[in-house]
């Protein structure tokens, strides 16, 4: 909840648009999709981290990918003053990504005037939305349960032991999950901002 509040009040950076708040990020994603609505899109959220002198810096990314035709991304940083081992950092990266996914969904629904109990699972939230969203083109929800959470772990290296646990945690939250080499939001875009 604390992380979600940081996200809601935080400032995102965009390589093309500069600093944006959460509502502006959501509007940018919606507008990008509306530019070419016939195209296929995927939205991915990922976090990477790096140990610094005074703790750990986390970079979290939300990206929209117009499949085969590029995309856009937005990122923000969170600093944690604690010294965290690799295992704890990887878990925290997944937790931050899940909090961002929840915060984005909650804020977008709020923008559309849709009230939903966010203490439910993602699948339950979308079931409760039902036809209210599906039959109203003005209320197209960009953050669906098809959102991908990208985690910075893979089958090679020290994180391979954590795949089952992290993937299970993300899937258990109701989202699709991607690991290296398919986790570009975490392993490429977020990593680039560290």
């Amino acid at each position: 909840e604390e992380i979600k509040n940081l996200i809601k009040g935080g400032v995102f950076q965009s390589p093309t648009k500069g600093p944006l708040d959460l509502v502006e990020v959501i509007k940018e994603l919606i507008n990008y999709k509306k530019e070419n609505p016939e195209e296929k899109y995927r939205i991915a959220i990922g976090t990477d981290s790096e140990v610094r002198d005074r703790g750990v810096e986390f970079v979290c990314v939300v990206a929209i990918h117009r499949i085969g035709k590029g995309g856009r991304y937005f990122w923000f940083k969170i600093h944690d003053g604690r010294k965290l081992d690799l295992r704890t950092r990887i878990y925290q990266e997944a937790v931050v990504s899940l909090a961002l996914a929840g915060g984005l969904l909650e804020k977008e629904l709020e923008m559309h005037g849709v009230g939903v109990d966010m203490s439910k699972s993602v699948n339950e939230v979308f079931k409760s939305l039902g036809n209210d969203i599906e039959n109203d083109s003005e209320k197209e929800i960009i953050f669906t349960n098809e959102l991908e959470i990208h985690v910075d772990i893979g089958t090679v290296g020290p994180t391979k032991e954590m795949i089952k646990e992290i993937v299970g945690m993300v899937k258990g939250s109701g989202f699709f999950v991607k690991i290296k080499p398919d986790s570009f939001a975490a392993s490429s875009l977020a990593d680039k901002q560290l």
Side-chain angles (χ1 to χ4, degrees):
E1 196 63 36
E2 182 182 334
I3 295 170
K4 198 189 297 185
N5 289 334
L6 274 172
I7 292 164
K8 286 181 171 180
V11 175
F12 289 76
Q13 299 296 322
S14 164
T16 54
K17 302 285 184 173
L20 302 168
D21 66 23
L22 189 59
V23 170
E24 291 169 321
V25 168
I26 293 168
K27 287 179 181 176
E28 287 294 325
L29 294 168
I30 291 169
N31 290 337
Y32 185 72
K33 194 173 176 185
K34 283 182 177 179
E35 286 175 10
N36 293 317
E38 69 286 349
E39 299 290 344
K40 298 253 186 235
Y41 294 87
R42 68 177 171 176
I43 297 189
I45 290 176
T47 303
D48 198 5
S49 65
E50 191 168 287
V51 175
R52 302 284 191 200
D53 290 340
R54 294 186 175 152
V56 179
E57 186 172 75
F58 293 90
V59 173
C60 198
V61 165
V62 57
I64 185 167
H65 178 212
R66 189 177 288 149
I67 297 174
K69 299 184 179 170
R72 295 205 178 136
Y73 73 99
F74 308 88
W75 57 273
F76 70 94
K77 292 184 179 183
I78 296 175
H79 182 79
D80 187 327
R82 300 174 295 170
K83 296 284 184 185
L84 305 174
D85 62 16
L86 177 63
R87 181 177 200 77
T88 306
R89 276 187 20 234
I90 296 297
Y91 268 102
Q92 193 65 18
E93 289 174 11
V95 166
V96 169
S97 291
L98 289 169
L100 176 56
L104 286 164
L105 173 59
E106 195 172 324
K107 181 56 85 176
E108 185 183 16
L109 292 173
E110 187 180 297
M111 288 167 60
H112 291 306
V114 177
V116 174
D117 180 2
M118 292 303 289
S119 66
K120 296 179 180 178
S121 75
V122 171
N123 290 332
E124 289 173 322
V125 166
F126 282 100
K127 282 180 189 171
S128 71
L129 287 173
N131 294 331
D132 290 347
I133 298 302
E134 292 171 18
N135 295 329
D136 188 343
S137 62
E138 293 300 311
K139 289 185 178 177
E140 177 189 358
I141 301 298
I142 199 163
F143 300 106
T144 68
N145 57 341
E146 295 178 8
L147 175 96
E148 297 176 355
I149 302 293
H150 289 195
V151 289
D152 194 26
I153 58 175
T155 58
V156 178
T159 60
K160 68 183 175 191
E161 308 296 325
M162 301 176 67
I163 291 173
K164 194 172 184 178
E165 299 164 55
I166 299 292
V167 167
M169 181 175 79
V170 174
K171 283 184 174 180
S173 297
F175 294 104
F176 291 105
V177 61
K178 299 284 185 180
I179 65 169
K180 290 179 188 175
D182 300 316
S183 59
F184 67 87
S187 54
S188 181
L189 297 175
D191 181 72
K192 184 171 24 174
Q193 301 304 326
L194 284 169

